[in-house]
Amino acid sequence: MVVPYPVHSEPERPLMATQHSRAAARLMISPAVLLLLGWMLIPLCMTLYFSFLRYNLLMPGMEEFTGWMNYRFFLTDPAFMDALVNTLLLVGGVLLITTVGGTLLALLLDQPFWGQGIVRIMVIAPFFVMPTVSALVWKNMFMNPVNGLFGHLFQSLGLQPYDFLSQAPLASIIFIVSWQWLPFATLILLTAFQSLDQEQLEAAEMDGAPALARFWYIMLPHLARAITVVVLIQTIFLLSIFAEILVTTGGGPGTASTNLTYLIYMQSLLQFDVGMGSAGGVVAIILANIVAIFLMRMIGKNLDA
């Protein structure tokens, strides 16, 4: 009579070890996750709380619940529509300049030439300059109508000096911010250019395809994902541009260069109305999330293609 061997439960041990390791990993990262959630949720909850109060720093101890009044006043403020339009123009203008300019610069830097490494470092340099310092340099050394470089250039050509920050404030800020973000777009797009299969370009060139056709039908489709990433990341940061406006124009003349971020700053810290500023902050968060969801869907469709 043959006695069967007993069946051991050895395969269950690796599974149990995996479950224990996952539990230990969750336990180890839980403090960081809780700290991050607290870092985000506590200010958000306080902003929501203050947005329903009449809370002015000049009248301490007189806070009272006002419901949706702060939101109604903020959304019906004439400066709100100006700030919203300026925000969209600022984001759209910077994205257009950096995407087109970054593509052209990346295409140029992808070509072999003498001193290529030095040129690449010089192109990347503006991205490491602080926004406040960059805005001060452009304001005083370039765009000043009396002592700026552009003013001297206009005078040498026999033209009247042009006050960029007074006569074209929003366009000037778009130019300054584009100068800061152009290296970022160039780096991302240059990486995409370098990952392009050169055999496709060589085959198209041997078939007689001109340079413009090679760029339009081979290079540009290859850059689609990189361009989407550039647009997504830059939009998230461009919606909160503040330092350049504060240093150069102060939101003026009037509201000509005021965006949503600067309008919230004016309501909260210049007019001391914390309730109104908090309501504006909630509105800005909602609008930023709408834009982020739209862009995430766009980048998802692009990556699935």
Side-chain angles (χ1 to χ4, degrees):
M1 179 175 180
V2 179
V3 179
Y5 288 101
V7 179
H8 298 283
S9 58
E10 292 295 334
E12 295 182 359
R13 293 183 179 178
L15 179 61
M16 295 178 60
T18 303
Q19 292 177 349
H20 285 305
S21 62
R22 289 179 179 176
R26 293 191 186 99
L27 183 63
M28 293 176 67
I29 67 173
S30 58
V33 174
L34 293 175
L35 179 62
L36 183 61
L37 287 175
W39 188 270
M40 294 186 298
L41 292 178
I42 292 176
L44 178 60
C45 294
M46 292 181 65
T47 302
L48 287 170
Y49 172 71
F50 288 138
S51 67
F52 293 104
L53 297 180
R54 180 185 289 117
Y55 183 15
N56 195 297
L57 295 177
L58 298 179
M59 296 182 293
M62 299 182 64
E63 298 83 8
E64 60 178 346
F65 180 79
T66 59
W68 299 96
M69 187 178 67
N70 288 326
Y71 292 93
R72 185 170 67 252
F73 285 164
F74 183 82
L75 294 174
T76 56
D77 188 352
F80 170 72
M81 287 306 300
D82 294 340
L84 181 60
V85 172
N86 290 337
T87 302
L88 296 177
L89 290 176
L90 176 60
V91 174
V94 174
L95 287 178
L96 179 62
I97 294 174
T98 54
T99 304
V100 176
T103 303
L104 296 177
L105 275 176
L107 183 61
L108 177 63
L109 293 176
D110 193 45
Q111 308 301 319
F113 58 89
W114 185 84
Q116 189 179 42
I118 298 176
V119 174
R120 288 182 179 180
I121 293 175
M122 293 177 63
V123 170
I124 298 171
F127 189 66
F128 299 100
V129 180
M130 294 294 293
T132 307
V133 177
S134 170
L136 282 173
V137 169
W138 279 100
K139 176 183 179 180
N140 297 319
M141 297 183 62
F142 290 96
M143 295 183 176
N144 190 293
V146 178
N147 300 318
L149 181 63
F150 294 155
H152 289 296
L153 181 61
F154 274 80
Q155 290 178 358
S156 64
L157 297 175
L159 302 174
Q160 290 293 330
Y162 187 80
D163 193 349
F164 291 91
L165 295 175
S166 295
Q167 299 178 346
L170 187 61
S172 302
I173 293 173
I174 290 175
F175 182 82
I176 294 172
V177 177
S178 300
W179 178 81
Q180 293 174 332
W181 281 95
L182 186 60
F184 172 79
T186 304
L187 280 176
I188 300 296
L189 296 173
L190 178 60
T191 305
F193 268 122
Q194 292 177 343
S195 65
L196 178 62
D197 187 5
Q198 297 298 320
E199 294 182 357
Q200 296 182 8
L201 295 176
E202 294 174 358
E205 186 176 1
M206 292 177 63
D207 290 339
L212 184 60
R214 295 198 301 271
F215 174 79
W216 186 261
Y217 292 106
I218 299 178
M219 294 183 180
L220 201 57
H222 181 76
L223 293 177
R225 295 187 177 186
I227 292 175
T228 307
V229 172
V230 168
V231 170
L232 175 63
I233 296 177
Q234 286 192 170
T235 301
I236 294 173
F237 286 95
L238 293 175
L239 287 171
S240 59
I241 289 294
F242 173 75
E244 294 84 351
I245 300 176
L246 176 67
V247 172
T248 55
T249 63
T255 57
S257 59
T258 300
N259 64 348
L260 281 177
T261 306
Y262 197 82
L263 179 62
I264 295 169
Y265 161 76
M266 291 172 59
Q267 295 284 357
S268 302
L269 298 179
L270 298 185
Q271 300 180 13
F272 305 102
D273 194 342
V274 177
M276 183 81 74
S278 300
V282 174
V283 172
I285 291 172
I286 294 174
L287 294 176
N289 278 277
I290 292 173
V291 175
I293 291 172
F294 172 77
L295 291 174
M296 287 300 294
R297 288 186 177 181
M298 183 181 69
I299 192 173
K301 291 180 180 179
N302 196 356
L303 293 176
D304 292 338

